Amino acid sequence: MLLLPVPSGLDIYIYADSRTLQSALSPNSESWVAGHAEPDLGVIVVALPPGPDQRLLIQQRIPHELMHVLLYQSTDPGYANLPIWLSEGLASLVELYPNSDYQVLLENAVEKDSLIPMAALCPSFPRQASSALLSYAQAASFTRFLHNSYGTNRLTGTGG
């Protein structure tokens, strides 16, 4: 699904594992991060370990991080003002193979009445891995709902 045009002047750095990727990120980044974009620099870094799941990870992580760069290019200087749930939701929306755990996480959170309020996901996502994963699941679900209800043009602000 193409929501925004593909950028030029993009550098993608691929690491063989998350540990090596972590050494390239700032020291205060979350240890569970497997991909990161620096949209103002046009840089994407991702961990893509060799093995049978590598192709799947490529089709998840590259489009996800690419969307952050595209959002930055299409909304700058307003990118910093986007709610995190929206930027992460849009990034999750373009993954060719979305995380299959999201649906189970959402169902469990609904059952336990433990969904995170969307307003709390505007400034940032939780740093704890399990809460962050639920945040991504909620963001993806809500953004998918918005996209299905209003379409690409209304979601990206490019149409009436």
Side-chain angles (χ1 to χ4, degrees), residues 8-13 36-44 68-69 72-73:
S8 60
L10 178 69
D11 292 319
I12 300 174
Y13 297 91
H36 178 73
E38 288 290 339
D40 55 329
L41 301 175
V43 171
I44 292 172
H68 289 298
V69 175
Y72 176 84
Q73 290 181 351

Side-chain angles (χ1 to χ4, degrees), residues 69-143:
V69 175
L70 295 171
L71 279 172
Y72 176 84
Q73 290 181 351
S74 67
T75 62
D76 186 46
Y79 180 78
N81 298 323
L82 290 175
I84 298 300
W85 67 259
L86 180 59
S87 62
E88 292 299 346
L90 287 169
S92 295
L93 195 65
V94 299
E95 294 174 2
L96 298 178
Y97 297 101
N99 188 322
S100 59
D101 294 334
Y102 285 176
Q103 189 61 38
V104 173
L105 287 168
L106 287 171
E107 289 170 4
N108 288 341
V110 167
E111 183 178 303
K112 295 176 182 176
D113 195 27
S114 62
L115 287 172
I116 301 167
M118 292 305 287
L121 301 179
C122 288
S124 66
F125 276 8
R127 293 183 62 91
Q128 181 187 25
S130 61
S131 296
L133 196 57
L134 177 58
S135 300
Y136 279 97
Q138 286 184 216
S141 178
F142 187 51
T143 306

Side-chain angles (χ1 to χ4, degrees), residues 32-81:
W32 48 263
V33 170
H36 178 73
E38 288 290 339
D40 55 329
L41 301 175
V43 171
I44 292 172
V45 294
V46 291
L48 297 171
D53 292 335
Q54 188 180 54
R55 172 172 255 158
L56 172 80
L57 294 174
I58 290 169
Q59 295 173 340
Q60 285 177 333
R61 293 177 182 168
I62 298 294
H64 183 105
E65 300 306 332
L66 180 59
M67 178 53 87
H68 289 298
V69 175
L70 295 171
L71 279 172
Y72 176 84
Q73 290 181 351
S74 67
T75 62
D76 186 46
Y79 180 78
N81 298 323

Side-chain angles (χ1 to χ4, degrees), residues 20-35:
T20 309
L21 169 69
Q22 290 298 321
S23 68
L25 297 176
S26 67
N28 64 345
S29 67
E30 296 84 357
S31 61
W32 48 263
V33 170

